[in-house]
Amino acid sequence: MKLNQILSTLNQIEKSKFITCLDKLCLSAASGDEDISKALNKVNCQIKDASGSEITQLFKAVSSQYKNSVCEKLLLCDASMALLVNILTRDGNCIARISWIEQLYAREWETLDALAKKIKLDIESNLAEDYGHAHRLCIFLDCLNVAYTNDEKINRQANITDDERSILNALARHLKISKDEVVAIEHISEPIKAGKQTVENCLQELRDMGVIFINRKSSEVLIPDEVVSVLNQIQGKQLADKHLLRILRVLSDPELSNILKSYGKRTRGISRSEKISTILHSGIAVRDMLSRDLYDETDNQNKRKERLKQLIVELDIDAERIGFTLEERIVVILESLNAASDHEFDAISATGFKEMFDSLEQNFRGTDIAGQPETLSQRIRQEFELEENEIIQVERLRALSITPHDVLYLLNNDEVKGLRDCLNLPKKGNPRFNILEAFANANDKLIENYEALAKRDLHTLKSVGIEISEAEIGVKFEEATKTILEQLDLVVDEELRKSINTSKDKTDIIISISDDDIIIGEAKTCKNGDFAKYSTTSRQIKAYVTRCENQGKRVAQVLIIAPSFSQDFIESAEMDTEVNISLLTAEGLKQILDAFKAKRRPNFSARLLTKGGLLKAELIAKSI
């Protein structure tokens, strides 16, 4: 979840630690940085009174200072903090209940402790100095112990400095020791604390540092995507696990085996799924993997470069230049995948994502590691470490920054092909992209025939290949309207809508135009004639306005979208003194969207929808 979204859900006390930290960084850096000084002047140097979007801009301005500050503070913490930070920055954990984080920490500690005992046994039982994997682990353990005892020799508390850490990281890389083994070896030298109290203390420290937010009402920990990115840089994590998984999915079995062999991992009798899982959880650096580990020893530089060129095509990376050297091509892959999420959410609408998810959930027939039947929701819950009682919905996945692409890459290649065939999609090309395209196109078809949908014209819809029942039309019109508004770069706030709606009062759409100002949207279909039910509609929207205002939101406007409106409806809306109402025909909204798409640099603002009365779509379209 983005920083701006998190700030809008919390009260002033819950935001206070982060804002205090940001305030100190801005004030200390403003004198030497013109951009930071300008950002501060915009809020009159009063960050506490700034809006969420203004705070986000300030955070971007001081991101490098923020990274240095957090890095210095984390270096002073013990290994239990590093373990917790690793858990919190994993995919799916940016929003989680404190009790669930405690369970994840306990599970991680047990796995780590078991690995540490195994490594210790391997080292003790290995007598040969043959530079085998056990011997390399022994070398690293000896070097780590020296780093600790260096401090004790000069009568200081045993600790690994930043300089020593960088040396140890370089040593681990050349000895081909994976990240999980490094942490386990450190656990041998300096045992990591376990227990609920350890987690609580670490969470409080992270909150004081301005790294996490804690929602006391829901007992949830929240970490913005922007902060996760900073923490990944501090940890030396070049790629999120969900993006590394994509690379592993397109690698061949021999290439996966080469990676495992490089780190002394088992390869015989291991299935493809187990190979991928082992690599993912070992914390192997993706840059090392792409530059040396996945190739045969006999592969020269040209063969390696050619393989990366092929990998770029297989990952559907659209880059202007793929580079000439091996390093340049690795950079293209890493930068493209790290920037993928925003593009992927734009490529398929929220409605398209929901339809895809529902269809996959219905048709997916998977099995878990034990060979037991597994649903799509169970797979997502397992891979992204979500709570057992967590209801898997598209809105929640979007909040966790899990894209439709991420969901499809959770499924192995055979499972995806099975779904493609089940959905009767073309067999030519990448099956994942075929599925994504199918649901993106299905939604485009609804938007192309938006007016027919608004008029509940089943005959026209079926004539263009849209199979839909009359009972579904209202929901589909609402979803298509949301998609159009999103394509106009408006913020359709599903989280806020869900929190405001009750079983009795259910608004269709909420558009956020600032931190506190919103537009309530209502999408109305009408089969014959003009939409004329003003008294019923008026009661509905006034109930919605009251609920929104009770939650501290200011309703700037109510926007009603319908095929057309009766003259009485238009006059009643214009004369209503209790709420500000704008009316827009479905044809008009489609006209605005077409004009928006036709412009290279469209100039459209939500404020154009707040003029009141029956909006003139032609004038709005011209102004874009």
Side-chain angles (χ1 to χ4, degrees), residues 74 114 126 433 501 611:
L74 288 176
N126 180 64
F433 302 149
N501 280 0
K611 301 295 182 184

Side-chain angles (χ1 to χ4, degrees), residues 150-166:
N150 277 344
D151 289 318
E152 292 174 346
K153 284 178 183 177
I154 54 175
N155 201 25
R156 292 173 60 182
Q157 183 181 348
N159 192 26
I160 296 178
T161 65
D162 196 23
D163 288 342
E164 289 169 334
R165 173 69 61 195
S166 63

Side-chain angles (χ1 to χ4, degrees), residues 437-490:
E437 191 177 346
F439 287 96
N441 290 344
N443 209 51
D444 289 343
K445 224 176 220 187
L446 286 175
I447 293 171
E448 283 170 20
N449 297 275
Y450 185 63
E451 293 167 63
L453 195 62
K455 293 175 182 176
R456 306 183 76 85
D457 187 348
L458 271 175
H459 177 72
T460 299
L461 293 172
K462 287 185 177 177
S463 69
V464 294
I466 298 175
E467 292 298 325
I468 188 172
S469 69
E470 186 146 12
E472 294 176 305
I473 286 180
V475 173
K476 293 293 182 186
F477 181 64
E478 180 187 317
E479 290 175 349
T481 304
K482 287 178 189 175
T483 302
I484 291 174
L485 294 171
E486 285 177 338
Q487 291 181 1
L488 289 170
D489 285 344
L490 299 179

Side-chain angles (χ1 to χ4, degrees), residues 67-80:
K67 177 185 170 182
N68 293 335
S69 172
V70 171
C71 188
E72 287 172 8
K73 290 170 183 173
L74 288 176
L75 283 172
L76 299 174
C77 300
D78 60 19
S80 57

Side-chain angles (χ1 to χ4, degrees), residues 308-494:
L308 290 187
K309 181 180 178 181
Q310 184 187 353
L311 188 61
I312 289 170
V313 173
E314 290 169 340
L315 291 169
D316 196 37
I317 290 173
D318 185 17
E320 288 183 14
R321 295 183 63 213
I322 65 168
F324 179 72
T325 66
L326 195 71
E327 177 59 24
E328 285 172 349
R329 291 181 181 181
I330 290 171
V331 169
V332 167
I333 292 171
L334 297 183
E335 289 184 350
S336 299
L337 290 176
N338 278 322
S341 291
D342 290 339
H343 161 72
E344 288 168 5
F345 277 129
D346 292 339
I348 182 169
S349 67
T351 305
F353 189 4
K354 185 176 185 304
E355 289 183 354
M356 185 194 89
F357 180 83
D358 291 343
S359 181
L360 297 186
E361 179 80 304
Q362 183 179 348
N363 293 291
F364 178 63
R365 300 289 181 270
T367 54
D368 61 17
I369 297 173
Q372 296 300 312
E374 186 178 43
T375 66
L376 180 64
S377 290
Q378 287 170 334
R379 176 73 59 87
I380 291 171
R381 191 177 287 113
Q382 171 68 27
E383 295 297 330
F384 288 115
E385 297 183 324
L386 306 181
E387 279 194 81
E388 283 299 320
N389 59 358
E390 180 86 70
I391 298 172
I392 308 299
Q393 295 178 323
V394 165
E395 292 83 2
R396 184 65 168 180
L397 296 180
R398 286 173 68 91
L400 295 171
S401 299
I402 298 169
T403 71
H405 291 67
D406 297 333
V407 171
L408 285 171
Y409 274 102
L410 288 184
L411 315 181
N412 66 43
N413 297 344
D414 290 335
E415 289 170 339
V416 172
K417 287 174 184 175
L419 281 169
R420 176 201 61 191
D421 296 343
C422 190
L423 296 171
N424 297 317
L425 298 176
K427 294 190 176 182
K428 187 178 179 181
N430 188 311
R432 289 185 177 87
F433 302 149
N434 290 348
I435 292 171
L436 288 163
E437 191 177 346
F439 287 96
N441 290 344
N443 209 51
D444 289 343
K445 224 176 220 187
L446 286 175
I447 293 171
E448 283 170 20
N449 297 275
Y450 185 63
E451 293 167 63
L453 195 62
K455 293 175 182 176
R456 306 183 76 85
D457 187 348
L458 271 175
H459 177 72
T460 299
L461 293 172
K462 287 185 177 177
S463 69
V464 294
I466 298 175
E467 292 298 325
I468 188 172
S469 69
E470 186 146 12
E472 294 176 305
I473 286 180
V475 173
K476 293 293 182 186
F477 181 64
E478 180 187 317
E479 290 175 349
T481 304
K482 287 178 189 175
T483 302
I484 291 174
L485 294 171
E486 285 177 338
Q487 291 181 1
L488 289 170
D489 285 344
L490 299 179
V491 180
V492 177
D493 198 331
E494 281 297 291

